[in-house]
Amino acid sequence: MGMSHGYTGAGTDDDQSIRTVHRALELGVTLLDTAEVYGPYTNEELVGRALKGRRDQVVLATKFGLISHTGRQGTDSSPANVRAAVEGSLKRLGTDRIDLYYQHRVDPGTPIEETVGALAELVTEGKIRHIGLSEAGPDTIRRAHAVHPVTAVQSEYSLFTRDPEAHVLPTLRELNIGFVPFSPLGRGFLTGAIRSTGQFDADDFRADNPRFTGANFAHNLHLADQVAAIAAETGATPAQVALAWLLAQGDFIAPIPGTRRVARVEENTGADAVRLTGDQLARLSALPPAAGDTHNEAQMRMMERS
């Protein structure tokens, strides 16, 4: 994919977030990732403002499908919605093309062949350059790839979420498709900064996330502690160790840690320089699975995790 690491635009504190994007570019980040549903819409506008005069420095990715512009309920990846969504994203991003356009979640109401057919037309028209999928399983990936080459698949993957290793990663290696892990820091858990379940606001998704509550949380603290132990050995931060482990899983992997702070971008990009030993990588890979589902029940139904 030609990308070492990426950045997911987050938050709506405009000045701070724009400074963060600019600093990311200075540090060599080559992939920016956003979506129409972030905000909704406001994050694409922010990224567009941040890239004014700098558009050609990055691979620009955004996503569609969680907002319906056709009046449907739920996910909507119908060809009509694809066309409506891309026009809105192009305008908000202030660009004439999107480098990597993802289906945000698989739409059970639209055959993937129809969605990818519509995306292929956008490639021909020059409005998008490459097609991506998010949280898609191997069967969907193969069906999509048979219609038009899929460039990248985006799914949650980290030492905190190892699900893709069983079926998705082997499929991507076989088909020569890039992998873009989101939440590579376990939604903040792997940084070691989260030590109690009582610190989440009611509107924080972690407040009802099974991995951040009850006995699961207590069990999962062991994972964060092991990452912190290896960080102490290397002189890196736990976040850098978690990212370095991901980067060591293959050259086709480009993690996208999301943040709105310059200091975090500087810390995250520093993971490129962290070299874990074979023993350290083996110890991290041998950590037990995290306890609990990665999302609440309603969110899990929107993902193809097998």
Side-chain angles (χ1 to χ4, degrees):
M1 291 170 64
M3 296 177 278
S4 59
H5 42 277
Y7 165 77
T8 301
T12 54
D13 183 342
D14 290 8
D15 291 341
Q16 178 174 261
S17 295
I18 288 173
R19 286 195 301 272
T20 301
V21 172
H22 290 170
R23 182 59 177 146
L25 299 182
E26 292 170 1
L27 291 167
V29 170
T30 53
L31 169 64
L32 291 185
D33 178 279
T34 183
E36 65 172 3
V37 77
Y38 299 161
Y41 308 126
T42 52
N43 194 257
E44 285 186 327
E45 294 171 351
L46 186 152
V47 171
R49 287 171 52 197
L51 288 181
K52 192 170 184 179
R54 307 168 189 244
R55 171 65 182 88
D56 293 338
Q57 291 181 234
V58 300
V59 172
L60 181 58
T62 192
K63 299 179 283 292
F64 70 91
L66 290 183
I67 295 175
S68 176
H69 304 279
T70 69
R72 274 178 50 176
Q73 295 295 313
T75 56
D76 188 352
S77 289
S78 63
N81 196 59
V82 169
R83 288 213 161 261
V86 75
E87 295 301 335
S89 289
L90 287 168
K91 182 177 181 180
R92 287 186 292 273
L93 291 166
T95 185
D96 61 353
R97 84 281 184 195
I98 294 164
D99 297 310
L100 180 54
Y101 200 39
Y102 289 98
Q103 180 191 44
H104 208 150
R105 291 290 184 272
V106 176
D107 175 10
T110 305
I112 192 64
E113 291 82 0
E114 291 184 14
T115 300
V116 176
L119 291 169
E121 292 176 0
L122 296 180
V123 172
T124 300
E125 295 167 17
K127 292 182 178 180
I128 67 174
R129 295 185 62 199
H130 300 282
I131 294 171
L133 304 174
S134 180
E135 291 286 15
D139 180 63
T140 297
I141 294 168
R142 291 182 185 279
R143 288 168 54 197
H145 197 66
V147 176
H148 185 281
V150 173
T151 296
V153 171
Q154 181 174 134
S155 292
E156 184 172 355
Y157 182 46
S158 68
L159 286 167
F160 202 50
T161 303
R162 305 283 290 276
D163 305 27
E165 292 178 347
H167 303 292
V168 171
L169 288 183
T171 301
L172 300 182
R173 288 190 179 98
E174 175 193 338
L175 299 176
N176 195 30
I177 296 172
F179 187 51
V180 180
F182 67 80
S183 297
L185 301 179
R187 302 176 182 271
F189 199 92
L190 296 175
T191 67
I194 300 172
R195 305 299 301 180
S196 72
T197 58
Q199 61 186 52
F200 306 121
D201 295 334
D203 60 351
D204 189 315
F205 75 93
R206 290 172 294 196
D208 67 350
N209 184 291
R211 290 198 172 177
F212 290 84
T213 54
N216 289 341
F217 181 87
H219 174 276
N220 293 335
L221 281 177
H222 173 71
L223 295 177
D225 290 341
Q226 294 304 305
V227 174
I230 290 179
E233 295 175 8
T234 62
T237 68
Q240 289 171 336
V241 166
L243 290 169
W245 177 86
L246 262 183
L247 291 168
Q249 303 311 302
D251 292 339
F252 68 112
I253 293 177
I256 48 171
T259 186
R260 68 190 71 178
R261 293 181 174 84
V262 168
R264 288 288 174 256
V265 164
E266 293 173 341
E267 177 184 0
N268 293 340
T269 53
D272 268 351
V274 175
R275 296 292 177 262
L276 299 173
T277 66
D279 174 69
Q280 289 169 335
L281 286 169
R283 285 157 56 197
L284 290 168
S285 294
L287 289 174
D293 286 335
T294 54
H295 295 77
N296 63 36
E297 185 176 345
Q299 293 166 331
M300 289 297 291
R301 286 196 295 267
M302 298 177 66
M303 302 174 191
E304 295 184 350
R305 288 290 180 97
S306 61

